[in-house]
Amino acid sequence: MRVGALRETAIGEHRVALDPEVVVRLVKDGREVVVESGAGTAASFPDASYERAGAQILSRAEVIATSDVLAVVRCPEASVVSALRSDQLLIGLLDPLNNLPVIETLAAKRVTAVAFELLPRTVSRAQSMDALSSQASAAGYRAAIVAAEAFGRYLPMMITASGTARPASVIVIGTGVAGLQAIATARRLGAVVTGYDVRADSREQVESLGAQFLTSSITAGAGEGGYARAMTAEEQAGQQAELAAALKSFDVIITTAKVPGRTPPLLVSAETLAALKPGSVCIDLAASDRGGNVAGSIDRERVVTPGGVIVVGAGELAADMPTSSSQMYARNVLAMINDLVTDDAIAFDLADEVRSAVVLCHAGQVTSRAVRTALKLDPVLDPPQDPLHAGQPEVPEAAAAASITIEFDPKNGQAA
Ligand code: NAD
């Protein structure tokens, strides 16, 4: 079985899907590893470090052509997708709900694609594969550092011979994985920190980090799977008004609020920005080409409002801490490979709780319920249409696809 890693090509993406440490572990497990030349350079892993770990350095085309399992960080570009062949396994943060045509193409090419975004994160077996959390954690940490760097004042209280500086007040809006890490880091930097979220259980998590919790009238914000639900228009308006009044007094605002598959909610309006003190800083971790939590934030850009507020669009902040982020991500990839691949074969029991969620397409079909719903296909989970359920006598072909084993010829790494 040959595992490959490609150089990432998205603008500003410095991470890599495999690091040398994970290569050592893959090789120890009897896998061959191939890495595109230069894939790890931006994450401070030169080609030589992969070679020392036991990987072979190849060209991009060679990695694509010869890998059985291709690990990526972000959804690959069209030229890679079109070069993939049947029975290859693609693993990454494929952002499936925003890349539906790509998933359809992968299905048509009979590639098996796995997206970390759809992992059932609360299942204990899945936690070592939780790339959303590992990357959110890095992004949250980094958000506090970027805020400290952009802010023109001290974050901690400073008592010096030249006078005393009061500590900065920081609010973190959205206290999931990234938000809690941002709170912890801002506290370590000495700021006075407040957290805010619409999920009722977030108060306890915020307070356990020694931060205050901003109480809001919107408390029933939890939706499916522990995620926030989308607010109604009325709730959104009420929330914006409440936040506008509260946010004026903060020096630094870090926003991380997301609702899966939806446009991020706008939480810091243009009016709120205009009311902030000059020199205040907003770090928007939800910034994307679909909008963000802060009015006017542009991903990967730093803009200064006419009122002197610094707005940093930081939708992929983990990519700016590429060494640690890649090390964590590579461990998630390793855990996923070890879960999916046994005895040198990709063995899928797609009725399994984790696999049925993360496998987007397999054996020529879109298998993920979330993706099928987004594509307006019949939801898969009701037999007899369901290719995930093996052994349905009514649909022998689909049933055969459900529990498929792809054996690999150890000599050439190709499906036998
Ligand atoms: P996320 O990235 O989807 O969103 C970030 C935060 O924004 C969330 O806390 C969300 O509630 C909040 N948010 C969304 N809309 C908001 C709004 N309008 N106003 C204020 N806040 C808003 O979140 P995440 O980090 O992926 O975490 C989602 C959930 O999954 C959390 O409950 C987290 O504790 C849970 N989780 C559990 C595990 C586990 O059990 N192993 C692992 C990771 C995450």
Side-chain angles (χ1 to χ4, degrees):
M1 161 110 9
R2 186 176 276 194
V3 181
L6 291 178
R7 186 176 48 80
E8 298 293 317
T9 54
I11 296 167
E13 184 52 77
H14 304 123
R15 292 169 289 182
V16 59
L18 296 177
D19 75 322
E21 227 177 278
V22 161
V23 170
V24 169
R25 289 165 71 175
L26 285 165
V27 171
K28 213 168 140 210
D29 292 343
R31 326 255 190 238
E32 279 180 44
V33 183
V34 291
V35 175
E36 180 183 346
S37 178
T41 308
S44 309
F45 305 126
D47 286 353
S49 65
Y50 286 103
E51 284 177 319
R52 276 196 299 277
Q56 209 184 332
I57 300 295
L58 297 178
S59 70
R60 189 170 187 79
E62 288 167 329
V63 171
I64 296 169
T66 62
S67 298
D68 304 308
V69 180
L70 201 58
V72 293
V73 178
R74 307 269 282 275
C75 193
E77 67 273 20
S79 60
V80 174
V81 171
S82 66
L84 292 177
R85 58 179 164 73
S86 159
D87 297 333
Q88 278 179 313
L89 172 63
L90 176 70
I91 300 177
L93 285 162
L94 304 181
D95 194 10
L97 298 179
N98 292 308
N99 285 315
L100 293 173
V102 179
I103 309 308
E104 282 180 300
T105 307
L106 290 168
K109 291 178 75 74
R110 300 182 72 82
V111 170
T112 298
V114 164
F116 284 112
E117 286 92 341
L118 299 182
L119 192 76
R121 302 160 85 189
T122 48
V123 174
S124 60
R125 183 182 119 227
Q127 282 171 11
S128 58
M129 312 172 210
D130 188 351
L132 274 190
S133 286
S134 71
Q135 303 308 294
S137 191
Y141 164 82
R142 190 75 176 184
I145 306 290
V146 171
E149 184 272 323
F151 191 48
R153 286 184 20 217
Y154 285 115
L155 249 56
M157 183 163 94
M158 294 288 280
I159 302 170
T160 75
S162 318
T164 298
R166 66 173 176 80
S169 57
V170 173
I171 183 163
V172 177
I173 303 181
T175 56
V177 178
L180 292 175
Q181 194 56 248
I183 289 175
T185 309
R187 292 250 313 137
R188 282 183 216 124
L189 290 170
V192 176
V193 186
T194 301
Y196 168 77
D197 202 297
V198 284
R199 289 180 297 104
D201 57 358
S202 56
R203 171 185 288 274
E204 200 185 321
Q205 294 163 347
V206 167
E207 288 177 348
S208 73
L209 291 173
Q212 291 157 16
F213 191 78
L214 179 73
T215 304
S216 128
S217 63
I218 298 160
T219 50
E224 262 179 60
Y227 289 99
R229 65 170 169 80
M231 303 279 116
T232 63
E234 201 176 305
E235 283 173 327
Q236 265 180 42
Q239 186 184 35
Q240 274 191 17
E242 272 181 30
L243 280 175
L247 293 182
K248 276 187 256 177
S249 61
F250 287 94
D251 301 308
V252 173
I253 301 173
I254 296 173
T255 62
T256 79
K258 291 181 191 159
V259 181
R262 305 270 187 143
T263 303
L266 182 69
L267 298 172
V268 182
S269 64
E271 294 73 40
T272 306
L273 277 182
L276 296 177
K277 296 183 285 277
S280 303
V281 173
C282 293
I283 312 288
D284 187 1
L285 266 62
S288 71
D289 51 12
R290 301 180 303 282
N293 293 149
V294 180
S297 74
I298 303 168
D299 195 19
R300 305 206 61 77
E301 283 191 25
R302 189 176 287 214
V303 292
V304 181
T305 67
V309 175
I310 300 149
V311 179
V312 182
E316 291 289 350
L317 217 41
D320 290 350
M321 210 171 68
T323 310
S324 292
S325 301
S326 301
Q327 284 168 331
M328 301 297 167
Y329 185 78
R331 283 175 212 164
N332 302 137
V333 169
L334 177 69
M336 183 66 85
I337 291 174
N338 286 343
D339 198 80
L340 293 173
V341 179
T342 44
D343 296 333
D344 230 17
I346 302 169
F348 289 131
D349 167 12
L350 287 180
D352 170 84
E353 185 179 14
V354 172
R355 289 165 204 169
S356 65
V358 295
V359 177
L360 304 174
C361 54
H362 180 56
Q365 306 219 39
V366 174
T367 51
S368 148
R369 175 188 278 268
V371 177
R372 287 184 72 89
T373 305
L375 285 170
K376 301 193 172 35
L377 299 171
D378 284 344
V380 283
L381 297 180
D382 293 329
Q385 310 94 311
D386 180 4
L388 300 185
H389 288 84
Q392 298 295 324
E394 303 91 316
V395 280
E397 263 185 43
S403 185
I404 194 162
T405 298
I406 307 168
E407 299 282 357
F408 287 94
D409 179 343
K411 289 192 207 82
N412 60 12
Q414 304 289 314

